[in-house]
Amino acid sequence: MKGTLQQQQARLGVRLIAPAVVIIGLLIVYPVFYNLFLSFHDVKLSGESSFVGLSNYAAVITDIEFWRAFLTTALYVFFTTLGTTLFGLVVALAMNRQFPGQGVVRSLLLLPYIAPVISVVFAWQFFFDPVNGIFMHLVVDQWGLYPERFNLIRSPRYALWVAIVFSVWKNFPFTYLMILSRLQAIDENLYEAAEIDGCTGIKKFFYITLPEIYFVLGSIVLMRIIWNMNKFEDIYLLTDNVKTLPVYTYFKAFTGALDMGQGSAISLIQFAILISFIILYVKKVLKW
Amino acid sequence: MVTKHRTIKNLLFALLILAIVLFAVFPFLQMVSTSLKYSWDWGNPSLVPLKLNWESYGELLGIGQDIKDLPESVQILLEETPDLTREQKEAIIAKYRDTGDVFPFGKYFLNSLLFSSSSALISLVIAILGAYSFSRMEYKGRRVIQRGVLFVYMFGGILLLIPLYKVSVALGLAGTQGGTVLSVLIIYVVQTLPVCLYMLGNYFRTIPFSIEEAAFIEGLNHFQTIWKIILPLSISAIATVYIYAFMIAWNEYLYASVFLKSYKDIYTLSIGLKSLFVSKNAIWDRIMAASMLTALPVVILFLLIQKHLTGGMTSGGVKE
């Protein structure tokens, strides 16, 4: 006999999960540690890498460009997360009511989230294009807010804000769906009881809706922070003037001097920041 | 009074919904509009083209392009030389078509299709077995694996990019076109695998265990049970997960840009579009048409699975 039925089952279970575990282990877990190794080396793309200790890290944190990227990332993550969550909440509250044509509206609202980044960035670039774009037509020719047309999406002053609005536009469908599914699970009796107690719309929102969706909001904020901090395509493809940490890493490691050792160091510093933030957040906000 | 108040409220609500929808779809309207405009019409803020221009779609899809690109002298030559065989004529035409810097949309489209469909398929097969295992069977370490799948969401693409590229170079894969195809394929599998595992695991858990028990009593083993019971029962979930994985691969840019850089023949649409449209001023109509055609397959696939996908998304089965 090959052992009990349970043991047989366990063996089969392990065998079935093995391919997935091996692939994830080799291509996700191992690279993370290999990255750590690389960050202590002067990496040559072909040939031997030499051990340099902490000098990659030293070079990174004494570089003003790194701190600029750090600040940009902080602003980007803060405002995109805030914007996506708040706008998602407004849309979810609106979509929680029944109205004719809701099915079509639901489908249309998901388009930004599913369309390939590469195809939507061009539409955004055209919208802000100094020569042909509608935006400059409005703010310069129609409203006269600026004396002359300029390239908003490339200007150092505004590019970050365009990237933030773009991210809110692209990701609000996700937040709104998450919030909506939680809203629909709220017990109607709570609202009826509140009405009997004389609560109006705004009070109902603050005393019933908000506490009920607190945790879903908390998880959305956490997920958006993780994803927005790691975002690359949404920024890099839209504008070349916003350097968040992932974009900065990409430029360091794959353009110019191809400094992969420093690139590894930056991506690990970013990862460390993210992890410590998550731990703090989970303890303080989600109170797990 | 009450009804008037209500009407105003409804009107405001309708305006709010309209504003939200407009915000969401405006860039798409912009895309369609510009793709159909002539260049003299681009500066016109109206979204409706003054005169419809299908030229850029024709150019991208290779419709009606055979004769147009040929210099007139060559056209006359072709017409006035009756003793040229058909093959010879076609060879001459093909030569002129290749030399133009026309965007090889068909080729990139096919590359994207091959990369996405095959990596999604591999990922799906591995995920079906894995998800069945951790949602249905008891063994040591099962929980660790289940949670670990969620944990890998935290690793952004850029963190894994440098080590994976370095490994690919060290193994000699990045040096050849075949090796590069293999690297990208494996990377796309691993990018989609955690999502597939998670979504399918969630779904398998909703299938009543008693159905499987009945199958075991009938004498089916685990593989037969997966094949004959689980798969048919979850076919819509499996289709959804496949399409979701397909979309992730189709939309991917970061890895493609690093790995495929020096292999123009295997460019995917996302890096093809980026690299060919560096200077945009003269070709907005073609850029927008190409963007439309790149987005279209994903949008169509999505509409097919919308009902299941939104359910899967809200239960947390997403990755960006």
Side-chain angles (χ1 to χ4, degrees), chain B residues 109-169:
Chain B
F109 190 93
L110 197 66
N111 290 341
S112 272
L113 192 68
L114 289 175
F115 272 123
S116 311
S117 57
S118 46
S119 62
L121 185 68
I122 299 168
S123 182
L124 186 72
V125 171
I126 298 171
I128 289 175
L129 300 178
Y132 180 80
S133 161
F134 74 63
S135 67
R136 274 297 197 258
M137 294 164 155
E138 268 305 333
Y139 48 88
K140 240 176 118 183
R142 186 182 69 103
R143 275 177 196 289
V144 180
I145 291 167
Q146 220 173 327
R147 299 231 176 98
V149 167
L150 275 179
F151 187 69
V152 299
Y153 280 153
M154 268 192 281
F155 302 134
I158 197 81
L159 183 70
L160 303 173
L161 178 61
I162 297 171
L164 284 176
Y165 188 61
K166 186 80 176 76
V167 169
S168 174
V169 170

Side-chain angles (χ1 to χ4, degrees), chain B residues 124 127-129 131-132 135-136 196 199-208 211-212 225-243 305 308:
Chain B
L124 186 72
I128 289 175
L129 300 178
Y132 180 80
S135 67
R136 274 297 197 258
C196 293
M199 285 171 92
L200 282 175
N202 278 349
Y203 187 80
F204 288 163
R205 244 170 262 135
T206 65
I207 299 175
I211 297 176
E212 276 169 272
T225 316
I226 295 180
W227 187 248
K228 290 187 175 155
I229 311 287
I230 299 286
L231 287 191
L233 275 178
S234 39
I235 195 74
S236 68
I238 288 172
T240 305
V241 171
Y242 178 79
I243 290 176
I305 56 157
H308 308 287

Side-chain angles (χ1 to χ4, degrees), chain A residues 12-13 31 35 43-44 94 97 107 113-114 116 119 122-126 169 224 230-231 233 250 271 278, chain B residues 10 13 23-24 27 30 133 137 154-155 159 166 222 251 253-254 257 280 284 287-288 291 302 306 320:
Chain A
L12 183 65
N35 208 2
V43 181
K44 301 274 184 300
R97 268 175 62 168
S107 304
Y113 191 67
I114 53 149
S119 64
F122 290 125
W124 276 71
Q125 285 170 351
F126 186 81
W169 173 80
R224 286 260 56 100
N230 289 330
K231 272 281 180 254
E233 276 106 331
Y250 184 82
F271 185 63
I278 290 170
Chain B
N10 280 343
F13 180 74
F23 176 64
Q30 177 89 77
S133 161
M137 294 164 155
M154 268 192 281
F155 302 134
L159 183 70
K166 186 80 176 76
H222 273 287
N251 296 352
Y253 172 83
L254 178 59
S257 81
K280 305 187 187 70
W284 276 114
I287 297 175
M288 294 298 175
S291 300
F302 163 77
Q306 190 193 355
E320 285 179 20

Side-chain angles (χ1 to χ4, degrees), chain B residues 5-311:
Chain B
H5 189 68
R6 175 140 294 178
T7 322
I8 292 173
K9 249 184 139 176
N10 280 343
L11 196 70
L12 284 177
F13 180 74
L15 281 177
L16 175 69
I17 294 288
L18 192 71
I20 294 169
V21 171
L22 209 62
F23 176 64
V25 301
F26 186 80
F28 295 95
L29 298 178
Q30 177 89 77
M31 217 191 278
V32 182
S33 151
T34 311
S35 73
L36 294 172
K37 275 182 176 179
Y38 282 98
S39 57
W40 46 262
D41 199 10
W42 290 343
N44 173 12
S46 161
L47 285 179
V48 184
L50 291 173
K51 188 160 177 273
L52 283 180
N53 167 22
W54 295 98
E55 188 57 35
S56 43
Y57 285 99
E59 196 180 304
L60 291 175
L61 298 172
I63 300 166
Q65 297 300 303
D66 292 12
I67 301 304
K68 205 203 77 189
D69 291 340
L70 293 182
E72 209 167 338
S73 58
V74 179
Q75 283 187 42
I76 293 166
L77 181 86
L78 282 174
E79 275 162 30
E80 292 181 351
T81 323
D83 41 305
L84 277 176
T85 63
R86 219 182 115 87
E87 282 95 62
Q88 281 171 318
K89 275 187 185 172
E90 273 172 7
I92 292 171
I93 293 171
K95 200 177 153 206
Y96 277 95
R97 221 185 300 163
D98 282 349
T99 50
D101 59 343
V102 184
F103 182 46
F105 183 82
K107 191 168 149 193
Y108 294 170
F109 190 93
L110 197 66
N111 290 341
S112 272
L113 192 68
L114 289 175
F115 272 123
S116 311
S117 57
S118 46
S119 62
L121 185 68
I122 299 168
S123 182
L124 186 72
V125 171
I126 298 171
I128 289 175
L129 300 178
Y132 180 80
S133 161
F134 74 63
S135 67
R136 274 297 197 258
M137 294 164 155
E138 268 305 333
Y139 48 88
K140 240 176 118 183
R142 186 182 69 103
R143 275 177 196 289
V144 180
I145 291 167
Q146 220 173 327
R147 299 231 176 98
V149 167
L150 275 179
F151 187 69
V152 299
Y153 280 153
M154 268 192 281
F155 302 134
I158 197 81
L159 183 70
L160 303 173
L161 178 61
I162 297 171
L164 284 176
Y165 188 61
K166 186 80 176 76
V167 169
S168 174
V169 170
L171 293 175
L173 291 173
T176 65
Q177 183 160 311
T180 304
V181 170
L182 186 69
S183 310
V184 172
L185 209 58
I186 296 173
I187 286 168
Y188 283 3
V189 167
V190 79
Q191 293 246 311
T192 49
L193 190 57
V195 198
C196 293
L197 278 170
Y198 190 74
M199 285 171 92
L200 282 175
N202 278 349
Y203 187 80
F204 288 163
R205 244 170 262 135
T206 65
I207 299 175
F209 197 60
S210 52
I211 297 176
E212 276 169 272
E213 272 177 336
F216 292 140
I217 292 166
E218 293 286 325
L220 270 69
N221 64 32
H222 273 287
F223 280 106
Q224 287 168 323
T225 316
I226 295 180
W227 187 248
K228 290 187 175 155
I229 311 287
I230 299 286
L231 287 191
L233 275 178
S234 39
I235 195 74
S236 68
I238 288 172
T240 305
V241 171
Y242 178 79
I243 290 176
Y244 199 71
F246 180 94
M247 281 166 41
I248 293 177
W250 184 271
N251 296 352
E252 207 282 327
Y253 172 83
L254 178 59
Y255 284 86
S257 81
V258 170
F259 280 81
L260 303 180
K261 202 172 190 173
S262 39
Y263 302 101
K264 280 220 159 65
D265 280 341
I266 50 171
Y267 267 20
T268 57
L269 275 176
S270 54
I271 65 165
L273 258 65
K274 170 80 177 166
S275 68
L276 278 155
F277 298 147
V278 187
S279 68
K280 305 187 187 70
N281 285 326
I283 47 169
W284 276 114
D285 54 342
R286 269 162 288 176
I287 297 175
M288 294 298 175
S291 300
M292 277 297 294
L293 294 174
T294 305
L296 210 58
V298 178
V299 171
I300 292 172
L301 284 176
F302 163 77
L303 289 176
L304 293 175
I305 56 157
Q306 190 193 355
K307 212 177 82 199
H308 308 287
L309 186 71
T310 49

